[in-house]
PDB file of all heavy atoms in Angstrom:
ATOM      1  N   HIS A 466      29.690  29.492  17.361  1.00 85.00           N
ATOM      2  CA  HIS A 466      30.172  28.561  18.333  1.00 85.00           C
ATOM      3  C   HIS A 466      31.035  27.490  17.655  1.00 85.00           C
ATOM      4  O   HIS A 466      31.112  26.393  18.155  1.00 85.00           O
ATOM      5  CB  HIS A 466      29.038  27.953  19.126  1.00 85.00           C
ATOM      6  CG  HIS A 466      28.482  28.822  20.218  1.00 85.00           C
ATOM      7  ND1 HIS A 466      27.456  28.540  21.002  1.00 85.00           N
ATOM      8  CD2 HIS A 466      28.947  30.059  20.600  1.00 85.00           C
ATOM      9  CE1 HIS A 466      27.196  29.486  21.865  1.00 85.00           C
ATOM     10  NE2 HIS A 466      28.135  30.398  21.639  1.00 85.00           N
ATOM     11  N   ALA A 467      31.531  27.780  16.490  1.00 80.00           N
ATOM     12  CA  ALA A 467      32.343  26.864  15.776  1.00 80.00           C
ATOM     13  C   ALA A 467      33.768  27.229  15.812  1.00 80.00           C
ATOM     14  O   ALA A 467      34.617  26.459  15.250  1.00 80.00           O
ATOM     15  CB  ALA A 467      31.841  26.796  14.329  1.00 80.00           C
ATOM     16  N   PHE A 468      34.119  28.391  16.420  1.00 81.00           N
ATOM     17  CA  PHE A 468      35.532  28.818  16.525  1.00 81.00           C
ATOM     18  C   PHE A 468      36.159  29.021  15.102  1.00 81.00           C
ATOM     19  O   PHE A 468      37.373  28.786  14.931  1.00 81.00           O
ATOM     20  CB  PHE A 468      36.371  27.850  17.315  1.00 81.00           C
ATOM     21  CG  PHE A 468      35.887  27.654  18.728  1.00 81.00           C
ATOM     22  CD1 PHE A 468      34.969  26.663  19.022  1.00 81.00           C
ATOM     23  CD2 PHE A 468      36.362  28.469  19.745  1.00 81.00           C
ATOM     24  CE1 PHE A 468      34.522  26.416  20.282  1.00 81.00           C
ATOM     25  CE2 PHE A 468      35.949  28.214  21.055  1.00 81.00           C
ATOM     26  CZ  PHE A 468      35.006  27.321  21.355  1.00 81.00           C
ATOM     27  N   MET A 469      35.388  29.378  14.117  1.00 81.00           N
ATOM     28  CA  MET A 469      35.870  29.376  12.708  1.00 81.00           C
ATOM     29  C   MET A 469      35.766  30.728  12.023  1.00 81.00           C
ATOM     30  O   MET A 469      36.167  30.831  10.918  1.00 81.00           O
ATOM     31  CB  MET A 469      35.194  28.357  11.923  1.00 81.00           C
ATOM     32  CG  MET A 469      35.531  26.914  12.342  1.00 81.00           C
ATOM     33  SD  MET A 469      34.474  25.699  11.391  1.00 81.00           S
ATOM     34  CE  MET A 469      35.093  25.966   9.708  1.00 81.00           C
ATOM     35  N   LEU A 470      35.231  31.743  12.695  1.00 85.00           N
ATOM     36  CA  LEU A 470      34.867  32.925  12.003  1.00 85.00           C
ATOM     37  C   LEU A 470      35.815  34.129  12.388  1.00 85.00           C
ATOM     38  O   LEU A 470      35.351  35.265  12.463  1.00 85.00           O
ATOM     39  CB  LEU A 470      33.397  33.336  12.191  1.00 85.00           C
ATOM     40  CG  LEU A 470      32.465  32.225  11.758  1.00 85.00           C
ATOM     41  CD1 LEU A 470      30.988  32.747  11.905  1.00 85.00           C
ATOM     42  CD2 LEU A 470      32.673  31.833  10.321  1.00 85.00           C
ATOM     43  N   SER A 471      37.041  33.931  12.652  1.00 88.00           N
ATOM     44  CA  SER A 471      37.920  34.960  13.069  1.00 88.00           C
ATOM     45  C   SER A 471      38.349  35.954  11.962  1.00 88.00           C
ATOM     46  O   SER A 471      38.804  37.028  12.232  1.00 88.00           O
ATOM     47  CB  SER A 471      39.209  34.308  13.617  1.00 88.00           C
ATOM     48  OG  SER A 471      39.871  33.540  12.631  1.00 88.00           O
ATOM     49  N   ALA A 472      38.054  35.524  10.688  1.00 88.00           N
ATOM     50  CA  ALA A 472      38.396  36.415   9.577  1.00 88.00           C
ATOM     51  C   ALA A 472      37.121  36.785   8.818  1.00 88.00           C
ATOM     52  O   ALA A 472      37.262  37.102   7.576  1.00 88.00           O
ATOM     53  CB  ALA A 472      39.390  35.666   8.674  1.00 88.00           C
ATOM     54  N   HIS A 473      35.964  36.787   9.398  1.00 91.00           N
ATOM     55  CA  HIS A 473      34.710  37.043   8.652  1.00 91.00           C
ATOM     56  C   HIS A 473      34.006  38.235   9.145  1.00 91.00           C
ATOM     57  O   HIS A 473      32.832  38.416   9.012  1.00 91.00           O
ATOM     58  CB  HIS A 473      33.787  35.817   8.888  1.00 91.00           C
ATOM     59  CG  HIS A 473      34.262  34.626   8.102  1.00 91.00           C
ATOM     60  ND1 HIS A 473      35.342  33.870   8.455  1.00 91.00           N
ATOM     61  CD2 HIS A 473      33.742  33.949   7.063  1.00 91.00           C
ATOM     62  CE1 HIS A 473      35.528  32.865   7.622  1.00 91.00           C
ATOM     63  NE2 HIS A 473      34.559  32.903   6.726  1.00 91.00           N
ATOM     64  N   GLU A 474      34.745  39.212   9.713  1.00 94.00           N
ATOM     65  CA  GLU A 474      34.099  40.359  10.336  1.00 94.00           C
ATOM     66  C   GLU A 474      33.307  41.214   9.335  1.00 94.00           C
ATOM     67  O   GLU A 474      32.220  41.662   9.594  1.00 94.00           O
ATOM     68  CB  GLU A 474      35.131  41.281  11.097  1.00 94.00           C
ATOM     69  CG  GLU A 474      36.206  41.891  10.254  1.00 94.00           C
ATOM     70  CD  GLU A 474      37.387  40.953  10.012  1.00 94.00           C
ATOM     71  OE1 GLU A 474      37.306  39.791  10.391  1.00 94.00           O
ATOM     72  OE2 GLU A 474      38.400  41.413   9.433  1.00 94.00           O
ATOM     73  N   GLU A 475      33.870  41.349   8.087  1.00 95.00           N
ATOM     74  CA  GLU A 475      33.148  42.182   7.081  1.00 95.00           C
ATOM     75  C   GLU A 475      31.882  41.410   6.652  1.00 95.00           C
ATOM     76  O   GLU A 475      30.839  42.060   6.474  1.00 95.00           O
ATOM     77  CB  GLU A 475      34.025  42.453   5.929  1.00 95.00           C
ATOM     78  CG  GLU A 475      35.139  43.424   6.246  1.00 95.00           C
ATOM     79  CD  GLU A 475      35.913  43.832   5.002  1.00 95.00           C
ATOM     80  OE1 GLU A 475      35.413  43.582   3.864  1.00 95.00           O
ATOM     81  OE2 GLU A 475      37.035  44.522   5.174  1.00 95.00           O
ATOM     82  N   PHE A 476      31.951  40.178   6.415  1.00 94.00           N
ATOM     83  CA  PHE A 476      30.812  39.345   6.101  1.00 94.00           C
ATOM     84  C   PHE A 476      29.697  39.495   7.105  1.00 94.00           C
ATOM     85  O   PHE A 476      28.544  39.632   6.817  1.00 94.00           O
ATOM     86  CB  PHE A 476      31.098  37.859   5.853  1.00 94.00           C
ATOM     87  CG  PHE A 476      31.992  37.634   4.688  1.00 94.00           C
ATOM     88  CD1 PHE A 476      33.150  36.889   4.872  1.00 94.00           C
ATOM     89  CD2 PHE A 476      31.634  38.066   3.430  1.00 94.00           C
ATOM     90  CE1 PHE A 476      33.961  36.542   3.722  1.00 94.00           C
ATOM     91  CE2 PHE A 476      32.330  37.760   2.306  1.00 94.00           C
ATOM     92  CZ  PHE A 476      33.612  37.027   2.500  1.00 94.00           C
ATOM     93  N   ILE A 477      30.020  39.413   8.329  1.00 95.00           N
ATOM     94  CA  ILE A 477      29.111  39.477   9.493  1.00 95.00           C
ATOM     95  C   ILE A 477      28.516  40.815   9.550  1.00 95.00           C
ATOM     96  O   ILE A 477      27.243  40.976   9.660  1.00 95.00           O
ATOM     97  CB  ILE A 477      29.791  39.039  10.781  1.00 95.00           C
ATOM     98  CG1 ILE A 477      30.212  37.615  10.775  1.00 95.00           C
ATOM     99  CG2 ILE A 477      28.848  39.311  11.994  1.00 95.00           C
ATOM    100  CD1 ILE A 477      31.185  37.222  11.798  1.00 95.00           C
ATOM    101  N   ALA A 478      29.348  41.851   9.361  1.00 96.00           N
ATOM    102  CA  ALA A 478      28.819  43.212   9.454  1.00 96.00           C
ATOM    103  C   ALA A 478      27.765  43.469   8.277  1.00 96.00           C
ATOM    104  O   ALA A 478      26.760  44.122   8.510  1.00 96.00           O
ATOM    105  CB  ALA A 478      29.929  44.251   9.292  1.00 96.00           C
ATOM    106  N   ASN A 479      28.073  42.939   7.098  1.00 95.00           N
ATOM    107  CA  ASN A 479      27.160  43.092   5.938  1.00 95.00           C
ATOM    108  C   ASN A 479      25.782  42.341   6.132  1.00 95.00           C
ATOM    109  O   ASN A 479      24.814  42.587   5.368  1.00 95.00           O
ATOM    110  CB  ASN A 479      27.827  42.631   4.631  1.00 95.00           C
ATOM    111  CG  ASN A 479      28.953  43.545   4.282  1.00 95.00           C
ATOM    112  OD1 ASN A 479      29.001  44.695   4.635  1.00 95.00           O
ATOM    113  ND2 ASN A 479      29.916  43.006   3.525  1.00 95.00           N
ATOM    114  N   SER A 480      25.772  41.411   7.033  1.00 95.00           N
ATOM    115  CA  SER A 480      24.628  40.566   7.226  1.00 95.00           C
ATOM    116  C   SER A 480      23.714  41.041   8.338  1.00 95.00           C
ATOM    117  O   SER A 480      22.599  40.521   8.602  1.00 95.00           O
ATOM    118  CB  SER A 480      25.020  39.125   7.523  1.00 95.00           C
ATOM    119  OG  SER A 480      25.822  38.601   6.470  1.00 95.00           O
ATOM    120  N   LEU A 481      24.114  42.144   9.127  1.00 96.00           N
ATOM    121  CA  LEU A 481      23.348  42.585  10.231  1.00 96.00           C
ATOM    122  C   LEU A 481      23.084  44.123  10.104  1.00 96.00           C
ATOM    123  O   LEU A 481      23.887  44.874   9.614  1.00 96.00           O
ATOM    124  CB  LEU A 481      24.091  42.371  11.547  1.00 96.00           C
ATOM    125  CG  LEU A 481      24.263  40.945  12.025  1.00 96.00           C
ATOM    126  CD1 LEU A 481      25.228  40.812  13.177  1.00 96.00           C
ATOM    127  CD2 LEU A 481      22.918  40.280  12.341  1.00 96.00           C
ATOM    128  N   ASP A 482      21.930  44.497  10.537  1.00 95.00           N
ATOM    129  CA  ASP A 482      21.562  45.932  10.601  1.00 95.00           C
ATOM    130  C   ASP A 482      22.225  46.513  11.824  1.00 95.00           C
ATOM    131  O   ASP A 482      22.614  45.858  12.744  1.00 95.00           O
ATOM    132  CB  ASP A 482      20.089  46.130  10.571  1.00 95.00           C
ATOM    133  CG  ASP A 482      19.387  45.837   9.296  1.00 95.00           C
ATOM    134  OD1 ASP A 482      19.976  46.220   8.201  1.00 95.00           O
ATOM    135  OD2 ASP A 482      18.379  45.160   9.205  1.00 95.00           O
ATOM    136  N   ILE A 483      22.181  47.892  11.963  1.00 96.00           N
ATOM    137  CA  ILE A 483      22.669  48.572  13.145  1.00 96.00           C
ATOM    138  C   ILE A 483      21.744  48.050  14.286  1.00 96.00           C
ATOM    139  O   ILE A 483      20.548  47.970  14.162  1.00 96.00           O
ATOM    140  CB  ILE A 483      22.560  50.066  12.973  1.00 96.00           C
ATOM    141  CG1 ILE A 483      23.583  50.507  11.950  1.00 96.00           C
ATOM    142  CG2 ILE A 483      22.725  50.782  14.305  1.00 96.00           C
ATOM    143  CD1 ILE A 483      23.568  51.998  11.699  1.00 96.00           C
ATOM    144  N   GLY A 484      22.403  47.773  15.403  1.00 97.00           N
ATOM    145  CA  GLY A 484      21.685  47.235  16.606  1.00 97.00           C
ATOM    146  C   GLY A 484      21.800  45.692  16.637  1.00 97.00           C
ATOM    147  O   GLY A 484      21.458  45.102  17.657  1.00 97.00           O
ATOM    148  N   GLY A 485      22.294  45.083  15.549  1.00 97.00           N
ATOM    149  CA  GLY A 485      22.427  43.639  15.542  1.00 97.00           C
ATOM    150  C   GLY A 485      23.634  43.219  16.339  1.00 97.00           C
ATOM    151  O   GLY A 485      24.516  44.058  16.617  1.00 97.00           O
TER     152      GLY A 485
END
Side-chain angles (χ1 to χ4, degrees):
H466 281 176
F468 300 90
M469 294 174 63
L470 302 184
S471 59
H473 289 68
E474 63 276 6
E475 290 189 12
F476 290 128
I477 295 166
N479 292 336
S480 302
L481 292 171
D482 289 318
I483 291 176

